Amino acid sequence: MTSSSNTNPKDGETRYFTYNLTLSPLSHPPSTTFPATLAYTTHGSPSNPAILLPSCFGGKLASTTPFLYNASSCQNPSSTPPVPSDKYFIIITALLGNGESSSPSNPPSPEYAGPKFPKVTYEDNIHLQHALCTHLGIKKLFLYTGFSMGGQQTYHMSVLYPNFVERMAVIAGSARTSWHNYSFLEGPKAALLASEDFHGGRYKEKGVVCNKGTRAFGRVYSTWALDQEWFRQKCWEREESGKCASLEEYLETRWEGGLGEWDANNLLCLLWTWQNGDVSVYNKGGEEGKGKRGVVREGDLKKALDKIEAKCLIMPSRTDTYFPPRDSELEVEMFGEKNKAKLVVIPSIFGHLAGGGGGSREDERFLCEQIGRFIEETT
């Protein structure tokens, strides 16, 4: 049922864990067995407390918040990684659909290639990650923390396996994808689907590289990632943004050369997982609460959050339009007396990017300090 490509890996070396995953009732196709492969890396000794960091949308294993555990990855010399790999056992996992784990571009067999790849949920990803942890002999996670889609996975792991997670830190994420967030994602998705080189997702069968569609996707996506003040101050000229000479250069290098280089079906796979993210569905499944677009909504979010046993740190970015602070405030209010969550807002003009290492040097230092303080307060 399980396998690993290398029994004696070096820190940061990609390994692969295969598992016959039963897809969730809300996946498509629902409740079927899928031979999933999870790509992951580890850093540090397995004898140390275990910490899991999942990837985000557009993230790869190597780019998943390395400044949290590796001082050499910090862009700010005054940043101190809160979970250094010489003190903790760091596990980095790749989302299904990111091109490293099982994905439309990297399927376990041809029957799952391209648009035939299953529509997978956060629940699927979390069950797969938990199976990996079991395989590695981990009985509890000292901390589970993630950015963006990684933050949403943080909520899901803590709800689905409440006794497995001792601490959780959500960075620019939410327990439920809001309708506003859902609607924003429809924009870049529409640009991709309308591209002349998309061919209904069967572009590889036609020998076509769908880069017009993915570059359009990146451009539409870009503005939502940042605050208006970021543009007023021409922050594309800053070192953290690549020191671009113009906004056009920034869009071409960071967005057309970023998400624009991804496989189109992989982007859509991740986007479907994101749009359907909602921990409340575990209190209302099946046909109940179904929206007009087929997205399950309106489960009891408070009851879902009440399942969490972990100590909680919730860190939205002040200028994030995907996961705004108000959404986090409402979620924190639902935790109640049983497990009060700590809410800390990242004071940044780098919008959503402030939480994942794509913000300013000050943003990075702030994140490191706050997560470090949270660990001290709860240990």
Side-chain angles (χ1 to χ4, degrees):
M1 179 176 289
T2 61
S3 67
S4 179
S5 63
N6 189 342
T7 56
N8 295 297
K10 298 177 181 178
D11 273 8
E13 182 179 344
T14 302
R15 303 171 70 184
Y16 301 94
F17 170 75
T18 59
Y19 183 76
N20 288 327
L21 177 68
T22 300
L23 297 179
S24 77
L26 301 177
S27 305
H28 297 292
S31 305
T32 56
T33 300
F34 175 64
T37 296
L38 176 63
Y40 71 102
T41 60
T42 62
H43 305 259
S45 170
S47 63
N48 288 330
I51 294 177
L52 198 152
L53 284 69
S55 68
C56 64
F57 187 84
K60 299 292 186 180
L61 291 169
S63 64
T64 299
T65 54
F67 62 91
L68 293 179
Y69 61 89
N70 185 352
S72 65
S73 296
C74 294
Q75 57 176 332
N76 189 334
S78 64
S79 295
T80 300
V83 289
S85 58
D86 60 351
K87 184 177 179 182
Y88 298 97
F89 181 50
I90 308 297
I91 307 162
I92 316 291
T93 58
L95 274 162
L96 292 169
N98 91 320
E100 295 172 314
S101 292
S102 293
S103 305
S105 68
N106 180 31
S109 62
E111 65 183 293
Y112 300 110
K116 295 179 287 186
F117 193 81
K119 290 180 169 60
V120 293
T121 62
Y122 282 127
E123 181 178 358
D124 299 325
N125 280 277
I126 295 306
H127 288 322
L128 184 57
Q129 292 170 20
H130 186 266
L132 168 66
C133 289
T134 301
H135 174 67
L136 294 175
I138 296 167
K139 294 181 170 50
K140 275 188 180 291
L141 288 174
F142 178 84
L143 172 71
Y144 189 113
T145 182
F147 160 68
S148 190
M149 284 185 77
Q152 294 193 297
Q153 290 171 83
T154 302
Y155 270 115
H156 280 73
M157 178 66 87
S158 301
V159 168
L160 289 168
Y161 294 96
N163 296 318
F164 184 61
V165 183
E166 294 181 335
R167 295 165 189 79
M168 56 173 273
V170 176
I171 307 171
S174 67
R176 170 193 281 167
T177 299
S178 70
W179 288 119
H180 179 266
N181 195 338
Y182 180 100
S183 182
F184 139 63
L185 293 169
E186 286 294 293
K189 173 184 170 183
L192 176 52
L193 295 179
S195 171
E196 63 180 4
D197 55 3
F198 183 64
H199 297 288
R202 301 184 181 277
Y203 43 89
K204 287 190 176 180
E205 297 175 17
K206 296 182 176 292
V208 174
V209 177
C210 182
N211 52 18
K212 290 183 180 179
T214 56
R215 289 174 182 172
F217 183 102
R219 280 205 173 231
V220 175
Y221 192 98
S222 64
T223 303
W224 284 87
L226 298 153
D227 185 59
Q228 292 177 352
E229 190 60 31
W230 186 95
F231 289 93
R232 289 191 192 99
Q233 295 186 22
K234 298 183 179 180
C235 289
W236 59 81
E237 297 176 348
R238 291 177 59 161
E239 184 174 354
E240 300 99 317
S241 302
K243 298 184 71 172
C244 297
S246 65
L247 176 59
E248 179 61 25
E249 181 184 346
Y250 173 76
L251 293 174
E252 288 181 359
T253 57
R254 285 301 181 97
W255 293 99
E256 289 189 0
L259 291 179
E261 297 299 317
W262 276 59
D263 176 81
N265 284 318
N266 288 356
L267 289 174
L268 293 173
C269 177
L270 290 173
L271 189 145
W272 192 93
T273 302
W274 182 351
Q275 287 187 306
N276 287 269
D278 185 353
V279 297
S280 78
V281 300
Y282 309 118
N283 286 288
K284 181 178 282 189
E287 295 298 315
E288 296 182 63
K290 231 174 204 187
K292 293 181 180 179
R293 302 288 292 185
V295 177
V296 174
R297 284 287 192 271
E298 312 312 330
D300 193 324
L301 184 57
K302 187 178 188 322
K303 280 187 178 180
L305 295 177
D306 277 345
K307 294 179 180 180
I308 295 175
E309 297 289 339
K311 303 290 193 302
C312 308
L313 173 64
I314 313 299
M315 295 188 68
S317 168
R318 180 179 62 83
T319 52
D320 192 345
T321 55
Y322 305 171
F323 306 101
R326 182 54 182 156
D327 287 351
S328 295
E329 291 170 3
L330 293 171
E331 289 175 351
V332 166
E333 289 172 7
M334 294 184 192
F335 277 86
E337 293 299 322
K338 173 189 172 184
N339 188 5
K340 288 185 177 179
K342 181 179 181 181
L343 178 68
V344 177
V345 179
I346 306 166
S348 176
I349 64 170
F350 275 70
H352 183 64
L353 301 187
S360 68
R361 293 185 175 188
E362 292 76 18
D363 297 337
E364 177 192 87
R365 181 174 58 81
F366 184 83
L367 284 164
C368 289
E369 288 178 351
Q370 293 300 320
I371 293 174
R373 185 174 302 166
F374 169 67
I375 291 173
E376 289 179 3
E377 293 171 348
T378 57
T379 302

